[in-house]
Amino acid sequence: MDSRTNPYSPGAGRIPVSLVGRDEQIDEWMASLQRIEDGLDSRPMALYGLRGAGKTVLLMKLNDLALHNDWITAFVEATSGKSLREQLSSAFESRLYDIAKPSAGQKVLNALKTALSFSATVSEAPALTFGIDLSKASGSNASTGSFSGDLERYVRDLSDASGELGAGVAILIDEAQDLSGGDMAALVGLAQAVAVRRMRVAIALTGLPTLPRLLAEAKSYAERLFAYQEIGNLGTPEALEALLGPAQSRGVSWTDAAAARVVRAADGYPYFLQEYGSACWLQADEPPIGVSDVRKAEGLAGQRLDAGFFRSRWERATEAEKRYLQAMAEDEDGPSRTAELAARLRSSQSSLSSLRSRLIQKGMIYAPEAGAVTFTVPLFARFIKRQVVQ
Ligand SMILES: Nc1ncnc2c1ncn2[C@@H]1O[C@H](COP(=O)(O)OP(=O)(O)OP(=O)(O)O)[C@@H](O)[C@H]1O
Ligand SMILES: [Mg+2]
């Protein structure tokens, strides 16, 4: 069928027609916004999961919900190599322009002045100007150079301003496992200050499964502070809904056997469901999409996954790292014991440790517990087994 009407959305951060299986997180977020608007506290969320599980699109949805309620929001992706100060400065900017009016209340004007101060030490960004007179606003000094304190003062003033507007402040950070140690500690410190001072602030972080451990390493009390939830693969009914929903939106149905075959192949992973759904759509001549279409599409979907999702990661590994990944692949999707891997590679654990750290840094594997490693990419083992390493 026509690619122009293809309703599937394979690819990082592409919002699916049917965002399924995430009601719990969405309901919790909505309850948080409501509680904060009512002057109550709320728990920051830390959502973690494997590559392609649907973290980014969920976080984008949470951001949309806050924006829909007229909140002051910042959505940041922590990978871009910029400091959190710089990223938050620009992420808040557009909402601040919306609320910067000469008629704005005193707390809004103060927060705008604090925003100028917070962004003043960001070297490359052009200086913020709101085009209104802030000379009578008090604002806070948020350019002392101590990021943690500056962040707290900035967010406190934004929180006060949002109260004047009957809304709140939402901070959403994707790929949070890549925050620098200092930025991570400042963020956890902020979450604590939000709880203690009852600021009108909701925080949601998403990241790889290492996120809970990294937060706890930044500040030990992070363990009790955040509500942790895994963003995992979908159960069969949800996976079916994710597959059938987009086609239904175009008046197209699937036969039961065809849909069941795709759900099995995708193993409940949202990204794989979109890739298979898309390939089947393109292969089918007319509805309903049947088993013969799925058979034809399997090659195409497999090639796309190999060429994009898997190969782009595989090629980032050196030959030695590839051999390590191959040793891990013997345990399928893991986890693999590091002692066992050393034995397989006829090497010692200590001589493999820097190699292991590099793979962790590259985001390809993580340590779910001491002495074990596992892939961050679902079904990576099957791909690796098909590769030849020198
Ligand atoms: N709940 C869902 N229902 C249906 N499809 C989904 C869902 N969540 C994500 N998807 C689809 O899965 C794919 C991956 O989503 P997303 O980019 O959010 O994953 P991610 O966890 O952020 O991955 P990465 O770790 O690589 O950044 C996209 O094609 C998206 O459309
Ligand atoms: Mg993502």
Side-chain angles (χ1 to χ4, degrees), residues 87-128:
Q87 299 231 66
L88 285 175
S89 283
S90 57
F92 273 125
E93 209 172 288
S94 73
R95 281 293 288 133
L96 295 185
Y97 280 115
D98 290 343
I99 60 172
K101 303 186 179 89
S103 59
Q106 199 55 47
K107 288 181 174 160
V108 170
L109 297 175
N110 289 347
L112 293 175
K113 191 150 180 180
T114 309
L116 300 183
S117 164
F118 185 74
S119 65
T121 55
V122 175
S123 50
E124 276 145 47
L128 274 179

Side-chain angles (χ1 to χ4, degrees), residues 253-255 257-259 280 284 286-296:
S253 59
W254 289 69
T255 66
C280 293
E286 57 182 30
I289 298 172
V291 170
S292 64
D293 301 320
V294 177
R295 280 212 194 91
K296 281 188 275 169

Side-chain angles (χ1 to χ4, degrees), residues 5 30 36 117 184 208 228 238 273 277 306 341 378:
T5 54
M30 289 308 289
I36 290 170
S117 164
M184 183 89 77
L208 289 175
Y228 293 96
E238 287 98 15
L273 284 166
D306 275 10
L341 293 173

Side-chain angles (χ1 to χ4, degrees), residues 12-13 50-57 60 77 174-175 206-207:
L50 297 180
R51 293 281 169 213
K55 303 177 295 295
T56 300
V57 296
M60 287 161 71
E77 188 192 315
D174 196 14
E175 303 283 358
T206 46

Side-chain angles (χ1 to χ4, degrees), residues 125-176:
L128 274 179
T129 46
F130 293 113
I132 53 174
D133 179 13
L134 294 174
S135 59
K136 294 207 184 66
S138 54
S140 304
N141 181 358
S143 56
T144 65
S146 148
F147 178 58
S148 185
D150 289 352
L151 179 66
E152 193 181 319
R153 282 185 288 281
Y154 180 36
V155 172
R156 185 197 56 208
D157 288 1
L158 283 174
S159 162
D160 289 347
S162 74
E164 210 166 62
L165 299 165
V169 179
I171 298 176
L172 305 104
I173 301 185
D174 196 14
E175 303 283 358

Side-chain angles (χ1 to χ4, degrees), residues 273-354:
L273 284 166
Q274 299 294 338
E275 200 67 89
Y276 275 95
S278 170
C280 293
W281 179 274
L282 294 174
Q283 287 297 332
D285 291 323
E286 57 182 30
I289 298 172
V291 170
S292 64
D293 301 320
V294 177
R295 280 212 194 91
K296 281 188 275 169
E298 275 162 353
L300 176 65
Q303 273 169 23
R304 287 210 178 162
L305 286 169
D306 275 10
F309 194 62
F310 294 126
R311 188 159 303 285
S312 60
R313 296 191 159 79
W314 181 242
E315 295 303 340
R316 278 195 314 219
T318 63
E319 293 304 312
E321 289 164 3
K322 283 177 182 168
R323 281 194 291 278
Y324 192 86
L325 295 174
Q326 272 194 322
M328 284 178 62
E330 286 184 33
D331 301 311
E332 296 294 329
D333 283 326
S336 302
R337 311 297 313 170
T338 52
E340 178 68 19
L341 293 173
R344 278 180 205 158
L345 292 163
R346 297 184 208 297
S347 183
S348 68
Q349 285 201 67
S350 58
S351 61
L352 289 172
S353 78
S354 65

